[in-house]
Amino acid sequence: MTTYSKPEFLFGHLRHFRRDQIGFLSQFADATEIVPLRFLNKQAYLLRDGEHIHEALVKQSGKLHKSPALKNSTKNSLGDGLLTSDDPLHKQQRKLAQPAFHARQIANYADTIVAFTDRYLARWGAETTLEIHEQMMLLTMEIIAKVLFDADVAGDAHAFGNAITTSINATMQRINSPLARFALTPKQRQAMRDGKILDDLIYGLIAERQASGNNNGDLLSMLLFARDEETGEGMDIKQLRDECMTLFIAGHETTANALSWAFYLLAQHPEEWRKVQAEADRVLGQTRPTFEHVKALTYTDWVVKESMRLFPPAYVTSRLIREDVQIGGKKMKAGEVLIMSQYLMHHHPAYWEQPEQFNPQRFATDRTIKEGYFPFGGGVRVCIGNHFAMMEAILILARIAQRVDVEWIPNQHITAHPAITLRPEPGIQLRLVARQLLPTLA
Ligand code: HEM
C-alpha cells in the first residue's frame, strides 16, 4: 500500500504543499481513490478519478464555489472578475463577455494573430538565439490587448510583463503564506507599485473609450455599453476594471506558457517539429495562415494538446463546497474543499499509455474530462477563451514553422515552476534560423 506524507499536527499538509506543489501532488500519482487532505483546520479532498472530476466541474457545479484561497490572494490584482467571482455576479458577467468569444467573433482575431506574429518574425531576422517564453509572453500580450481592447501595447509590453510577474510572485506568496496577506513584505510592496502600472493601463483604456463614445464592437465596448435589463444601469468602473484585468492577464499568460512548452518539446523532438513544418507547407503552401486554415492544421492541433497534457498551464484547480455533495460515494460537507489537478490527471498511468512520452499522435482521438484531460477546466466555469486560445496557438505555431527552423540549445536545465500557471524556469533558449523561402512567400 502506498504511504503518503503525513499531516503535521497544526498545519496538516499545508507546509509540504507550499514547499513543492508538484512534488506533493505527485505522491498521489497512481491513486484513483479520493485522497483526504488537511490544510490547517480545513478538510480537503483530492479527486483522482476522471468521473469524479466530471461530477464536480460539470454535474454538481451548482453546489460549489471558487476557492477562497484564490479569491483572497488575487483580490488586488484580479478583484472580482470572471475568474474569481461567484453567482449571481458570475452568471451575469459571463453572459456579457461571452459574445466576444463566439466562433464568428474569434474568426476576426486570426488576422491580428498572424500579423503580430509576423512582426516578431521580422524582428528575429535570418538567425537568432532567444528566450522563447519571454517572446511568447510579449507576443500573446500584444495580441490580447489588440483583439479585446483595440490597444497597441507593444511599446510597454516589457513593463507590463514585469508587473504581471511581480503580481504573480506576490500572489503565490499570499497563497503559500496566508500571513503575507496582512504583512507588507518587499514582494507585496513591489506588487503594489507594479500593480499601479497595470491599473493605469486598464483604467486608461476605459477612460479613452468612454471619452470617445465609440462602440468598436470589441470586448471593452461590449462591457462598457452593457446595460442591466431591469435597472438600465451600466457596470461600475471597478467591475469593468476587474473584468478587463482578468481577461488581459488570463488571456495571454496561459497561452504563452502552452506555446513555450510546445517549443520546448518540439525543439527536443526534431522529428515532430518536421511533421509540424510539413503540415504547414502542405496546408499553407506559400500563403499566410487564416482562420480557414486552422481546421486543416490537425497535427499542429495535436501538438498543442499534447504539450498542454504534459505541461498544463493551469495545473491545479479547487472549489469550496457550498452545499453538501456526494462524489464517488463519498459525502463531503459544505465548507470543505475539493482539489483537482490537471498535472496529475494528465500524467495518470491509468489514463495514458507511457504518460511521460511526448506523442501528439495520441490526440488523434479527442479526450474528455472523464478520460483524464481537462486543460481548460469544464462545466459552467470552463475557460471562456478556450477556442480562441487553441486557434491562437495553432496559428502562431504554424506561422513560425512555415518561416523558421528551430534548434535546441544543449545543456539547459529547465523546470516546470508552479506559479499561478506552470512556467518554464529559467526560460527556454532556442536558436531560430529562417528557412529558405521562395520570393513569393506572403
Ligand atoms: C492555453 C490557454 C489557456 C488555458 C490552458 C486556460 C485554462 C483555464 C482554466 C483551466 C480555467 C478554469 C479554471 C477553474 O475551473 O477554476 C480557465 C478559466 C478562464 N479563462 Fe482560461 N485558459 C487559457 C486561455 C485563456 C484565454 C485566451 C482567455 C481570454 C481571452 C482566458 C480567460 C479565462 C477566464 C475569464 C476564465 C474564467 C471563466 C469563468 O469562470 O467563467 N483563458 N482558463
Side-chain angles (χ1 to χ4, degrees):
M1 189 172 142
T2 325
T3 47
Y4 303 134
S5 73
K6 293 225 167 15
E8 292 177 309
F9 170 60
L10 266 181
F11 294 97
H13 295 96
L14 187 67
R15 289 207 303 181
H16 188 179
F17 182 66
R18 270 180 1 200
R19 250 195 330 269
D20 172 16
Q21 287 193 30
I22 297 286
F24 175 77
L25 290 168
S26 295
Q27 64 179 313
F28 309 109
D30 298 337
T32 44
E33 76 277 19
I34 294 170
V35 181
L37 299 171
R38 179 166 66 79
F39 297 109
L40 294 170
N41 60 350
K42 190 69 98 194
Q43 179 66 53
Y45 300 97
L46 175 69
L47 304 185
R48 294 290 290 121
D49 184 302
E51 295 278 352
H52 298 169
I53 295 175
H54 181 261
E55 192 72 24
L57 291 182
V58 182
K59 286 177 86 175
Q60 306 211 42
S61 62
K63 294 180 179 170
L64 310 174
H65 267 172
K66 281 297 180 108
S67 95
L70 178 73
K71 282 178 191 226
N72 293 336
S73 52
T74 55
K75 215 183 180 87
N76 296 335
S77 51
L78 303 183
D80 221 0
L82 268 184
L83 192 66
T84 42
S85 59
D86 283 309
D87 284 347
L89 178 65
H90 173 263
K91 197 169 179 186
Q92 170 195 317
Q93 296 297 102
R94 175 109 186 185
K95 201 168 141 201
L96 293 179
Q98 196 70 60
F101 298 96
H102 281 160
R104 231 175 311 124
Q105 185 72 15
I106 63 173
N108 297 331
Y109 304 155
D111 286 347
T112 302
I113 293 168
V114 177
F116 280 36
T117 307
D118 282 358
R119 295 208 301 217
Y120 276 74
L121 281 162
R123 211 170 296 156
W124 295 338
E127 199 178 323
T128 186
T129 298
L130 47 74
E131 202 279 275
I132 198 76
H133 179 240
E134 184 195 34
Q135 297 293 302
M136 291 299 112
M137 281 287 187
L138 297 173
L139 170 59
T140 53
M141 180 193 294
E142 289 172 27
I143 290 171
I144 202 72
K146 183 68 189 167
V147 301
L148 295 188
F149 312 127
D150 195 17
D152 193 342
V153 298
D156 297 310
H158 268 290
F160 297 147
N162 290 339
I164 290 170
T165 300
T166 318
S167 164
I168 287 173
N169 290 341
T171 301
M172 286 313 288
Q173 192 183 47
R174 287 195 295 273
I175 289 178
N176 290 338
S177 156
L179 282 181
R181 277 179 223 156
F182 310 104
L184 267 186
T185 63
K187 252 190 204 157
Q188 304 301 322
R189 258 197 290 265
Q190 181 70 35
M192 280 168 73
R193 274 196 299 273
D194 284 6
K196 184 153 174 353
I197 299 178
L198 296 171
D199 269 347
D200 287 350
L201 163 73
I202 299 293
Y203 280 126
L205 291 173
I206 296 172
E208 234 173 74
R209 188 66 59 86
Q210 273 173 327
S212 79
N214 289 342
N215 186 343
N216 303 16
D218 61 6
L219 176 105
L220 181 54
S221 288
M222 278 176 205
L223 297 180
L224 199 55
F225 292 102
R227 291 291 172 268
D228 186 287
E229 281 167 15
E230 280 166 26
T231 65
E233 280 183 21
M235 213 177 285
D236 70 48
I237 186 86
K238 169 70 168 60
Q239 190 64 40
L240 255 175
R241 175 258 175 230
D242 289 353
E243 299 300 358
C244 292
M245 188 69 83
T246 297
L247 286 160
F248 179 59
I249 296 179
H252 78 276
E253 149 90 22
T254 38
T255 316
N257 284 333
L259 278 161
S260 306
W261 289 116
F263 279 113
Y264 168 86
L265 292 160
L266 288 167
Q268 290 177 87
H269 295 84
E271 70 291 357
E272 295 297 337
W273 175 245
R274 274 192 295 276
K275 285 184 203 168
V276 174
Q277 282 191 319
E279 180 173 83
D281 293 348
R282 183 172 48 76
V283 173
L284 307 173
Q286 299 181 35
T287 58
R288 298 176 84 202
T290 63
F291 177 71
E292 281 68 38
H293 289 118
V294 174
K295 246 198 162 121
L297 293 163
T298 329
Y299 203 79
T300 315
D301 173 71
W302 297 350
V303 164
V304 175
K305 288 176 177 158
E306 174 70 344
S307 305
M308 288 198 296
R309 182 187 70 80
L310 283 165
F311 297 102
Y315 59 94
V316 66
T317 185
S318 56
R319 295 289 188 270
L320 176 70
I321 302 174
R322 197 173 53 87
E323 229 179 86
D324 293 2
V325 282
Q326 183 160 340
I327 294 177
K330 169 104 193 122
K331 285 188 183 150
M332 301 166 196
K333 295 201 222 64
E336 297 177 340
V337 170
L338 293 180
I339 298 177
M340 296 151 271
S341 165
Q342 283 89 346
Y343 187 88
L344 275 192
M345 294 306 289
H346 292 184
H347 291 252
H348 201 310
Y351 293 88
W352 308 94
E353 227 172 82
Q354 297 185 301
E356 298 314 317
Q357 214 171 72
F358 177 54
N359 175 16
Q361 190 73 38
R362 63 172 101 231
F363 279 96
T365 317
D366 250 337
R367 292 295 202 110
T368 62
I369 304 181
K370 288 185 184 176
E371 293 152 340
Y373 190 63
F374 61 118
F376 294 108
V380 285
R381 305 303 299 251
V382 71
C383 175
I384 198 170
N386 55 355
H387 299 298
F388 169 63
M390 283 306 296
M391 174 187 78
E392 182 182 18
I394 291 169
L395 284 173
I396 292 176
L397 256 187
R399 183 56 163 170
I400 293 177
Q402 189 190 22
R403 301 292 299 273
V404 300
D405 288 320
V406 165
E407 288 169 25
W408 178 248
I409 299 196
N411 304 322
Q412 295 188 70
H413 180 65
I414 296 156
T415 55
H417 176 62
I420 300 289
T421 56
L422 208 57
R423 286 181 164 205
E425 285 276 350
I428 304 164
Q429 299 289 332
L430 295 180
R431 206 170 98 84
L432 267 47
V433 181
R435 295 174 74 189
Q436 291 300 317
L437 301 175
L438 297 175
T440 47
L441 184 62

